[in-house]
């Protein structure tokens, strides 16, 4: 039961253009969403997050959009740079009824982004 | 600067061996997590701990156990390693529901 899905295993983009990475979720209890970036032989690093009370969050070249009705979020990278080439994971957190989630995250399968010079 | 360290970057073990993977964080985080990463499957949660001596099963706990005797240290134990446990193992920590900080990972090969 994959509650967070990234349906595109890979994405190839030209330097300077926009990269759009997509993520869908099924659990309506998810209320906090994050994007992580992972280079080979390194651990994932946090990029940007969004709470379900918002529909957009921006940080420099990175913007995350959340469409709650469609249970869909996307990460936009503008302009894309060769150094952005990595695996991108979306993740979601649910607030457990009557308690805390302890920060537990559910991750998608990842999308390999390649930015060509 | 936040830091999560893992005891080994690469490990090769034989089937049936008991394997210990150690993780240490220096951020005084109460939550710690163990994941495995496999191609096409993303990061899957094995176990997590929200306090010393407290633990909860994640999505794929079978074949694993954990230990958290001190706040900064979280160990993953493979009681009897099997070839299907060959994977990249990632440790993370967090404060409350904030973002998780990850270690560099341990590439475990079981032959």
């Amino acid at each position: 039961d994959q509650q967070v899905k990234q349906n595109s295993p890979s994405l190839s983009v030209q330097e300077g253009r926009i990269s759009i990475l997509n993520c869908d979720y099924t659990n309506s209890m998810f209320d906090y969403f994050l994007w992580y970036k992972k280079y080979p032989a390194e651990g994932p690093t946090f990029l940007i997050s969004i709470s379900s009370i918002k529909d957009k969050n921006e940080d420099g070249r990175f913007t995350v959009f959340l469409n709650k009705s469609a249970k869909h979020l996307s990460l936009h990278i503008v302009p894309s740079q060769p150094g952005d080439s990595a695996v991108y994971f979306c993740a979601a957190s649910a607030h457990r009824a009557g308690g805390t989630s302890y920060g537990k995250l559910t991750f998608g399968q990842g999308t390999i982004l390649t930015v060509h010079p | 600067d936040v830091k999560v360290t893992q005891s080994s970057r690469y490990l090769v073990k034989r089937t049936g061996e008991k394997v210990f993977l150690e993780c240490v964080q220096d951020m005084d985080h109460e939550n710690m997590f163990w994941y495995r990463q496999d191609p096409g499957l993303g990061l899957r949660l094995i176990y997590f701990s929200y306090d010393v001596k407290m633990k909860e099963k994640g999505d794929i706990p079978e074949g694993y156990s954990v230990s958290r005797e001190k706040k900064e240290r979280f160990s993953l134990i493979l009681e009897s390693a099997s070839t299907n446990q060959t994977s990249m193992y990632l440790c993370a920590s967090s404060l409350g529901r904030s973002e998780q900080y990850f270690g560099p990972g341990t590439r475990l090969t079981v032959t």
Side-chain angles (χ1 to χ4, degrees):
Chain A
D1 176 25
Q2 190 80 28
Q3 296 186 62
V4 178
K5 291 183 184 178
Q6 294 175 255
N7 292 315
S8 297
S10 63
L11 175 67
S12 185
V13 169
Q14 206 66 32
E15 181 179 6
R17 307 293 290 267
I18 185 170
S19 295
I20 301 176
L21 298 118
N22 294 303
C23 181
D24 297 296
Y25 61 96
T26 57
N27 188 345
S28 55
M29 297 295 287
F30 288 147
D31 62 353
Y32 184 55
F33 303 88
L34 307 90
W35 284 93
Y36 281 83
K37 173 180 175 180
K38 186 181 185 299
Y39 293 118
E42 292 184 15
T45 53
F46 169 74
L47 261 181
I48 192 168
S49 63
I50 188 167
S51 164
S52 60
I53 62 172
K54 293 185 167 184
D55 53 20
K56 177 182 173 181
N57 189 26
E58 201 168 348
D59 184 1
R61 295 187 298 114
F62 302 92
T63 303
V64 56
F65 295 91
L66 176 62
N67 182 333
K68 288 186 290 294
S69 60
K71 293 192 175 70
H72 177 83
L73 64 153
S74 62
L75 175 68
H76 293 210
I77 306 173
V78 184
S80 302
Q81 299 172 353
D84 296 330
S85 298
V87 181
Y88 288 78
F89 292 99
C90 68
S93 172
H95 189 83
R96 293 203 285 205
T100 177
S101 69
Y102 302 118
K104 180 184 169 186
L105 296 177
T106 301
F107 283 84
Q109 307 96 308
T111 297
I112 302 169
L113 173 65
T114 305
V115 181
H116 298 283
Chain B
D1 196 19
V2 298
K3 196 112 181 179
V4 178
T5 56
Q6 295 183 227
S7 50
S8 305
R9 294 299 302 270
Y10 300 94
L11 211 50
V12 180
K13 295 291 181 181
R14 293 195 182 275
T15 302
E17 278 194 81
K18 192 168 186 175
V19 182
F20 292 87
L21 302 182
E22 298 242 302
C23 175
V24 178
Q25 52 98 0
D26 65 358
M27 296 163 282
D28 203 34
H29 286 169
E30 67 263 22
N31 302 324
M32 295 188 76
F33 308 83
W34 275 107
Y35 296 88
R36 61 179 283 177
Q37 182 197 356
D38 300 288
L41 297 176
L43 276 69
R44 294 180 294 166
L45 182 65
I46 304 170
Y47 266 98
F48 67 101
S49 168
Y50 50 91
D51 202 350
V52 174
K53 297 191 187 295
M54 307 302 286
K55 61 187 179 187
E56 276 199 26
K57 292 179 181 178
D59 301 315
I60 50 164
E62 297 79 18
Y64 303 94
S65 62
V66 290
S67 172
R68 192 164 180 203
E69 298 295 319
K70 293 186 178 181
K71 190 175 186 180
E72 67 271 17
R73 191 178 296 268
F74 191 34
S75 301
L76 179 70
I77 303 148
L78 286 68
E79 297 289 342
S80 177
S82 63
T83 54
N84 63 12
Q85 292 179 310
T86 291
S87 186
M88 169 69 84
Y89 289 88
L90 292 157
C91 173
S93 71
S94 74
L95 191 64
R97 291 189 76 196
S98 66
E99 66 268 21
Q100 294 181 14
Y101 293 87
F102 284 82
T106 296
R107 171 71 65 185
L108 172 67
T109 302
V110 182
T111 60

